[in-house]
Amino acid sequence: MHSSRKGSDAGSTGSTGSTRSAGSDVLVIGGGIIGLVTAWRAARHGLRTVLADPAPGGGAAQVAAGMLAAVTELHYGEETLLGLNLASAARYPEFAAELAEASGVADIGYRACGTLAVALDADDRLHLRELHALQRRCGLESEWLTGRECRRLEPMLAPSVRGGLRVDGDHQVDPRRLAAALLAACEGAGVEIRRAAAERLLTAADRAVGVRLDDGTELRADQVVLAAGSLSGRLAGVPPHVLPPVRPVKGQVLRLSVPRAYAPFLSRTVRAVVRGSHVYLVPRENGELVIGATSEELGWDTTVTAGGVYELLRDAHELVPGITELPLTETRAGLRPGSPDNAPLLGPTDLPGLHLATGHYRNGVLLTPLTGDVMAQLLTTGTLPEIARPFTPRRFSTARQESYA
Ligand code: GLY
């Protein structure tokens, strides 16, 4: 393992008022969980790695509930993504242990608790039956339960629950602890963290060569990874044909607190589609109960609205009436990095030297372990692993070129 490159002022050849670092092997733009895991795994493979972010460890992970919901969030037409999601879910126990050892953060809240997806009315029930059929066609473990069986598992459920799917393989992790652990692991592995925003991608001779930060510093690297979540489509200097088609999808999330006297309030994640909106309740071992999430196409807006909070509480209350007794401790909104096909963009772009790890949409927390693995393999060998090939960013550049032809 190398030690990190320190003293980035050395070798300055930048333009007036700026500083140019000596080059690293890898420069990661973005310090959310995807950027952090990429940097950590790259450094573990011996690559001199720099990560740039004004607030590393922040981003969507500070809002996300942390469901690892490969099976309960399955959608028609997303069977290829399912393979990636399942592979990452399977990686989680070992990944959590490795991360604990590397970071000193003993517990990232990985909890193998399972999930119960329930239905309140005839439409919900039909929707859940369709989901069950799709899950079975995909060979997934999911058991249909009557309303009574659901309440036997989770006594706080409303009497109106008419049935549900028991999915024992969909677990949870605490994304805030995950982010903190990844940041500590990066620091431990010698990743140089630059607390500034990437302002412009630097290119030379049709190749990405680094980035200029908003403090005027220029960082050079052999390989650049753009992993800036929903901001990934906005970096200046990225040629239009490789700019990732990523957009922000707002999610409002509530945090409640379950007093000890009420425990166990819920023993597993409970979720439903109520009047067409997803609602989920994720109980943590420390008493936190996370309720999410809205899904809103409102650009960069992160306002918590009365309507958003109302709808989440209304729908959650229909599932679990007892939530109205609990202290409401936090309301927050974050931005998922949505992509045109709801799947991530992983791998090299048509601009040599520039890779993407973005567009994880609803699956960023779930896909963190696998993203770290595939990006590290790409960065060390130059080859994108087989499992990630369907998610190459080039699937969009090709389509665009054809539509312009
Ligand atoms: N995966 C949960 C969400 O995006 O709301």
Side-chain angles (χ1 to χ4, degrees):
M1 184 85 50
H2 68 89
S3 60
S4 75
R5 183 175 51 80
K6 304 284 183 202
S8 58
D9 286 357
S12 168
T13 56
S15 55
T16 310
S18 74
T19 306
R20 182 184 293 172
S21 298
S24 57
D25 295 324
V26 174
L27 168 63
V28 178
I29 301 172
I33 51 175
I34 295 300
L36 288 169
V37 79
T38 300
W40 175 44
R41 305 309 278 189
R44 289 266 286 219
H45 280 77
L47 298 172
R48 292 172 303 129
T49 304
V50 178
L51 179 145
D53 191 297
Q62 292 301 314
V63 181
M67 287 179 302
L68 307 176
V71 179
T72 42
E73 287 201 3
L74 177 63
H75 289 96
Y76 282 103
E78 294 185 3
E79 289 81 354
T80 312
L81 177 59
L82 171 68
L84 197 73
N85 287 343
L86 288 173
S88 202
R91 215 14 212 108
Y92 243 102
E94 195 191 343
F95 173 81
E98 277 173 49
L99 185 55
E101 194 181 334
S103 67
V105 177
D107 181 9
I108 59 165
Y110 177 69
R111 189 175 170 200
C113 58
T115 295
L116 187 63
V118 300
L120 285 169
D121 63 22
D123 284 350
D124 302 344
R125 204 162 175 277
L126 205 60
H127 167 85
L128 221 50
R129 284 284 191 197
E130 291 293 323
L131 175 63
H132 192 214
L134 178 61
Q135 290 167 338
R136 289 168 69 110
R137 279 202 298 281
C138 293
L140 301 170
E141 278 187 37
S142 170
E143 183 191 1
W144 182 264
L145 302 183
T146 63
R148 185 171 298 171
E149 286 167 332
C150 290
R151 279 186 295 280
R152 203 172 297 139
L153 278 183
E154 296 296 342
M156 297 303 286
L157 282 175
S160 48
V161 165
R162 298 173 67 138
L165 291 177
R166 176 178 176 163
V167 177
D168 286 342
D170 275 2
H171 303 317
Q172 62 158 294
V173 70
D174 184 335
R176 291 178 177 176
R177 292 195 203 181
L178 173 66
L182 285 169
L183 184 55
C186 278
E187 286 166 345
V191 175
E192 184 186 348
I193 309 279
R194 303 297 298 248
R195 286 179 160 74
E199 196 175 66
R200 183 171 199 87
L201 184 76
L202 302 176
T203 55
D206 287 333
R207 171 173 189 96
V209 294
V211 75
R212 188 171 69 232
L213 303 180
D214 64 356
D215 63 6
T217 309
E218 288 185 2
L219 303 173
R220 303 273 162 170
D222 293 344
Q223 303 188 77
V224 178
V225 181
L226 180 50
S230 56
L231 291 166
S232 301
R234 297 208 337 171
L235 183 62
V238 179
H241 68 288
V242 292
L243 200 64
V246 173
R247 69 185 194 286
V249 182
K250 178 179 172 183
Q252 301 190 48
V253 172
L254 316 177
R255 282 175 163 80
L256 284 66
S257 166
V258 179
R260 264 184 213 288
Y262 288 32
F265 189 78
L266 294 174
S267 66
R268 72 202 69 217
T269 296
V270 169
R271 57 183 303 151
V273 179
V274 183
R275 288 177 288 272
S277 299
H278 288 270
V279 63
Y280 43 81
L281 296 88
V282 183
R284 302 234 195 278
E285 257 159 10
N286 65 5
E288 184 176 76
L289 179 68
V290 186
I291 299 181
T294 65
S295 190
E296 302 165 76
E297 302 270 359
L298 291 174
W300 302 99
D301 173 62
T302 52
T303 314
V304 174
T305 62
V309 174
Y310 165 71
E311 282 170 24
L312 288 173
L313 286 177
R314 180 196 62 196
D315 295 350
H317 174 254
E318 281 193 41
L319 292 184
V320 181
I323 59 155
T324 50
E325 305 294 319
L326 305 178
L328 174 63
T329 53
E330 190 182 323
T331 60
R332 197 149 164 188
L335 299 173
R336 305 174 184 90
S339 76
D341 59 5
N342 301 336
L345 288 81
L346 300 171
T349 67
D350 287 333
L351 181 68
L354 180 67
H355 308 299
L356 299 182
T358 187
H360 291 68
Y361 188 39
R362 301 182 74 94
N363 299 308
V365 178
L366 171 60
L367 286 173
T368 294
L370 205 78
T371 298
D373 293 346
V374 301
M375 294 308 292
Q377 192 166 333
L378 170 66
L379 291 164
T380 49
T381 67
T383 305
L384 191 65
E386 189 70 40
I387 191 166
R389 290 199 191 148
F391 306 99
T392 167
R394 291 182 173 134
R395 70 191 189 275
F396 295 119
S397 48
T398 307
R400 281 184 198 175
Q401 281 158 14
E402 280 169 4
S403 70
Y404 291 153

